[in-house]
Amino acid sequence: MRSQLPREFPRSAASVRARSDPLEAHQSIDVVVAGAGPAGSTVARLLAVRGWCVTVVDPAPSGGNRLEILSPTSGPAIEALDLMDLLQDPAVARPCLGIHRRWGVMQTEIDDFFCHRGGAGFVIDRACFDIRLRAMAKAAGVSFVEGRVINARRRNTEIDTYVKTGSGEITVSAAIAVDASGRPSILARRLGARRLLVERLVAERRSLDESRSPSQEPAWLYVEGSNASWSYGISGPDGRREEWAIYRDRSRSGASNLKRTNASSACLSQAAGKGWLAIGDAAMSFDPITSQGLVNALTTALVAAGAILSSRSVCAATASAYSEAVAATFRNSERGRAAVYGALNGIPTATRMIHSPSEV
């Protein structure tokens, strides 16, 4: 994939000015990215190193304070993005051997990552990972604006993105807009896409043990399921151990002091349109049972950058091809999710729900 990216792209006069000027009420650049998570920082870096003027808008670029799995399927993307050195940083990642799954009283199943293509899996400290990816983007020349996207609309050949900052509102005009805002899909929804919900799920952190020392001893992801929910436990590079429960929204516990986050399975009605693309969770978000969140962020960032650099725009044909690829990926993930849940007694599979998503 990396070899398909054009090595150079000429900078426009507006691009050069935008890189050197201080924050103004109106900016005109090549690409605006909403969201500074792994997907947003990665696509911004890939475009910036090819000479594009890129601004990333994010309300609070502080990184997610949680652990996530990077499965062996990420191998090709990791290699193409030159991130292997980052995964060798003991503050960022810890080797993961695979998954122990136990559904109810059934015998434990072992999913050994070394039996998969790629072989290597990692437990990722999202806070450290996100910070490092943003630093790499900044080193490539990406500008970051701390603010919240409040609206977006097409104007002639550009997309105007309206941003609320601590000092007022600014407008960022760009030839291309990339939505990396996560599950809210802020830009895509403003530009006409709809968020389609397959299954509403909630993730709840049941315990957090920070008493252990940092470790690079390979870890396992432990998963257990019951009729009402499933849970997992994992230990990170800093020694911290987290245990989370995932359940349907209507089944949430009554405890009010537990950290909760949206874990729903959802996708966009279209992942791209004229002048814009959605990547990462903004394009499609996965049930944690699939361990696809970070893989999806990095892979869609890589594909989106390739599409932009190859056509130097997001025309109707590019948008259609990209949207179809995203939809096919999501359908394939849902089939896999249905198979996993099929082993969990009492929980309906997602198969029938794939055909009747609801808009959110």
Side-chain angles (χ1 to χ4, degrees), residues 36 41 44 54-58 61 133-135 137-138 142-146:
S41 293
V54 185
T55 294
V56 175
V57 178
D58 193 272
L133 290 179
R134 282 197 297 273
K138 288 180 180 178
V142 176
S143 298
F144 284 77
V145 173
E146 187 169 338

Side-chain angles (χ1 to χ4, degrees), residues 8 40 77 97 101 107 133 156 260 284 332-333 340:
E8 296 182 359
L97 295 176
R101 294 192 186 95
Q107 185 175 358
L133 290 179
N156 299 323
R260 296 187 179 93
M284 50 183 167
N332 184 59
S333 177
V340 172

